[in-house]
Amino acid sequence: MSSEVSYPPGPRGLPVIGNTVDLSRDIFAFFEELRDEYSRVASYQVFGTDACMVAHPDAIQQVLLDDHEAYEKGEVLTRNLADAMGEGLFVTDGDQWQDQRTQVQPAFYRNRLNTYVPEMRATAEETVEKWRDGAVVDVNERMAETTMDVLGRTLFGVDVTENPVVSEASDAILTRFDTSRFWSFLPDSLPTPTNRRYRRKLDALQTFVDELAQQRREQQPENRGDDLLSILVGFVEASDLTQEELRDNMVTFLFAGHETTALGLTYTLLCLAQHPDEQAKLQTEVDAVCDGAVTAEDLPELERTEHVIDEALRLYPPVYMFFREATRDVELQGYKIPAGTTLVLPQWAVHRDPAWWDDPEAFRPDRFVGDVDRPEYAYFPFGGGPRHCIGMRFARMEMKTVLATILREYTFNLVSDPDPDLIASTNLKPDEPIEIKLHERDDAEG
Ligand code: HEM
């Protein structure tokens, strides 16, 4: 490492608590200010601990891709999530993570995911069938139900509307780790109401997964269906995965895949509700591509829909930041960062950085059309490098299927706040309902 490198600049904040107050007041503004007033690799302090924001695309690429082996998920995350998913993909590091990723990856190949599209479509249709011309819909609530239902069917092969154990556990886990609430910083061992509920619902979910896995094992492989649970059961039988790894990965998929996808859909609908011209374009596309209900073969052809989703995820990344810990001294953008430092990679501040995005606050799906002239890691809603989101394709397929199903039947306009307050919860959540008013299409097919 060269002798000229220095520690990244940044505000020092108050003694002991450092920048904790600024951070918790408005975390989004805090990272944008660090970016603009200090540097795209900048330091800050939380309760006496040094942390670094990494908001330069080249440095993000270095952390996630080029030098990824120099970074781990970090002790806090590993400790917090140990009980729920300590042996799963999201939390493990090193060889254990690598082995699991290699094992589980085929379950997320396109051909396999294509078989889930009919379930995704059926679920979306059930959602839309309950809607009526002129009705006002709370988008976030409806999308949370829809994505829960899809995960229930495709992961576990169960109908969560009839068996609440999965949705209740998902809710309890997200509440327990809601980083906008003080309780998320309390240790699991404290018998707070949130902790007790979390423990109870997690136990119930883990027992449920074990029992379901046992039932699958008792069936002949050809009768098991092709949900993710059956695939993982096959891996356990081949001794490629332990039962504990199977269980923790089922919880992981639920935790990582439910709210994120619901929010991706919510923000896409928010953007579309404010841009009737884009809605019309997507309807034209859906009508031209889909001959009747949407199929797996249709999805790659829904290109404009893809760009609209891309742009919504740029403006409102459901995962608005995530962490790494340096396992050795590293150099990023000419700054020296000591081993053990917590790094935060803030999608929010990078996706809205005027250095890479012209008029960054504007909704413009055309940014994603054709060759783009910006660094690759100026956009990373699904992370990057070998640890990029394994569910990315699943989420994109689901979002397209749900959007196409809605757009075939309805146009809609926004009746709630066009600029809703957002909270830095586990994911980027609206702090108020996002509501659309439905108008049945006169020309609706089918
Ligand atoms: C719009 C929806 C989604 C978004 C925005 C999203 C975002 C992300 C991001 C940013 C990461 C990287 C975290 C890190 O590197 O620390 C990640 C990892 C992960 N996601 Fe997603 N995700 C979504 C949907 C899903 C779905 C549907 C599933 C599963 C069915 C899923 C499962 C996972 C898993 C297992 C990991 C950890 C991968 C590993 O470390 O190897 N995600 N996701």
Side-chain angles (χ1 to χ4, degrees):
M1 190 169 292
S2 103
S3 57
E4 286 149 40
V5 292
S6 58
Y7 192 66
R12 291 286 65 108
L14 298 168
V16 186
I17 61 168
N19 306 109
T20 315
V21 173
D22 294 336
L23 246 177
S24 50
R25 194 178 295 136
D26 186 344
I27 194 170
F28 311 115
F30 178 77
F31 287 125
E32 284 178 300
E33 276 163 31
L34 270 191
R35 180 196 74 197
D36 296 342
E37 287 170 24
Y38 293 90
S39 166
R40 289 190 171 79
V41 174
S43 63
Y44 61 99
Q45 290 180 322
V46 197
F47 289 120
T49 308
D50 289 320
C52 279
M53 175 193 79
V54 180
H56 193 291
D58 294 349
I60 295 168
Q61 174 166 337
Q62 218 174 310
V63 173
L64 295 181
L65 181 66
D66 304 335
D67 298 335
H68 68 92
E69 78 298 336
Y71 302 90
E72 285 186 344
K73 284 279 178 149
E75 199 215 322
V76 178
L77 179 130
T78 312
R79 185 167 9 98
N80 274 345
L81 298 181
D83 280 352
M85 48 197 117
E87 299 296 312
L89 261 181
F90 197 81
V91 175
T92 49
D93 273 308
D95 290 345
Q96 188 185 7
W97 167 78
Q98 183 64 66
D99 288 350
Q100 278 195 30
R101 180 91 190 196
T102 311
Q103 292 306 329
V104 173
Q105 191 71 55
F108 289 89
Y109 285 165
R110 187 186 298 279
N111 285 352
R112 172 67 73 172
L113 295 182
N114 278 348
T115 65
Y116 300 145
V117 173
E119 294 281 20
M120 292 173 176
R121 185 189 61 222
T123 312
E125 282 171 353
E126 282 165 29
T127 299
V128 173
E129 270 160 21
K130 294 186 197 123
W131 295 0
R132 293 286 170 266
D133 186 35
V136 170
V137 167
D138 181 327
V139 178
N140 196 19
E141 278 189 2
R142 297 293 81 78
M143 291 303 107
E145 285 165 6
T146 307
T147 57
M148 178 82 264
D149 219 351
V150 168
L151 273 187
R153 295 181 193 200
T154 55
L155 271 184
F156 299 91
V158 298
D159 182 345
V160 288
T161 52
E162 287 176 4
N163 192 338
V165 65
V166 178
S167 54
E168 285 178 6
S170 175
D171 189 51
I173 296 170
L174 288 166
T175 307
R176 166 71 188 86
F177 297 110
D178 180 347
T179 40
S180 66
R181 310 285 178 184
F182 73 93
W183 62 63
S184 70
F185 300 100
L186 299 174
D188 272 357
S189 51
L190 278 185
T192 61
T194 307
N195 275 350
R196 285 209 310 269
R197 175 164 175 266
Y198 165 67
R199 196 61 271 167
R200 239 185 11 255
K201 299 295 176 192
L202 179 62
D203 283 349
L205 177 65
Q206 291 178 330
T207 307
F208 177 70
V209 173
D210 285 348
E211 284 172 2
L212 223 51
Q214 181 56 34
Q215 285 167 18
R216 296 291 160 90
R217 247 177 256 126
E218 288 162 10
Q219 289 171 330
Q220 294 300 320
E222 60 275 17
N223 297 331
R224 284 177 187 168
D226 54 8
D227 56 35
L228 281 168
L229 178 64
S230 289
I231 297 171
L232 298 196
V233 164
F235 293 151
V236 174
E237 285 174 337
S239 303
D240 289 329
L241 219 56
T242 66
Q243 173 59 27
E244 202 180 352
E245 287 176 319
L246 173 147
R247 187 206 297 142
D248 281 13
N249 273 309
M250 293 301 283
V251 177
T252 298
F253 295 148
L254 193 61
F255 173 75
H258 170 220
E259 190 177 66
T260 46
T261 314
L263 288 167
L265 276 164
T266 297
Y267 294 128
T268 308
L269 289 165
L270 168 71
C271 294
L272 281 174
Q274 296 179 83
H275 293 88
D277 53 327
E278 278 303 331
Q279 255 185 78
K281 279 186 204 167
L282 296 203
Q283 280 166 338
T284 307
E285 177 172 86
V286 169
D287 292 350
V289 169
C290 308
D291 180 16
V294 55
T295 65
E297 292 68 41
D298 295 337
L299 297 182
E301 289 180 52
L302 296 175
E303 287 180 15
R304 188 74 193 172
T305 311
E306 181 94 28
H307 298 322
V308 164
I309 293 171
D310 288 338
E311 179 66 341
L313 296 181
R314 180 186 71 81
L315 280 169
Y316 302 102
V319 178
Y320 57 96
M321 63 174 189
F322 60 84
F323 300 94
R324 286 293 187 272
E325 196 175 290
T327 57
R328 56 170 164 81
D329 292 355
V330 291
E331 192 185 319
L332 291 171
Q333 294 289 297
Y335 294 115
K336 177 182 172 154
I337 296 172
T341 307
T342 297
L343 306 183
V344 54
L345 285 68
Q347 279 97 335
W348 176 274
V350 181
H351 287 187
R352 289 172 178 248
D353 188 338
W356 330 114
W357 306 97
D358 190 25
D359 196 4
E361 313 279 309
F363 174 76
R364 284 196 205 149
D366 281 338
R367 298 176 200 277
F368 292 89
V369 177
D371 292 336
V372 290
D373 179 24
R374 62 176 167 262
E376 192 178 341
Y377 279 77
Y379 184 70
F380 62 117
F382 293 97
R387 289 205 85 141
H388 75 271
C389 176
I390 201 169
M392 176 175 79
R393 194 174 275 150
F394 183 107
R396 285 186 175 282
M397 290 171 93
E398 180 176 353
M399 286 191 279
K400 276 186 176 175
T401 305
V402 173
L403 287 171
T405 307
I406 296 173
L407 287 160
R408 276 167 49 84
E409 304 287 335
Y410 290 104
T411 50
F412 45 87
N413 62 292
L414 194 68
V415 291
S416 56
D417 183 352
D419 192 15
D421 287 339
L422 301 171
I423 39 171
S425 181
T426 316
N427 297 305
L428 177 69
K429 285 195 352 191
D431 200 17
E432 50 189 308
I434 293 179
E435 292 176 325
I436 57 172
K437 185 167 185 180
L438 302 168
H439 310 279
E440 202 168 338
R441 286 178 60 189
D442 298 335
D443 53 344
E445 290 173 20

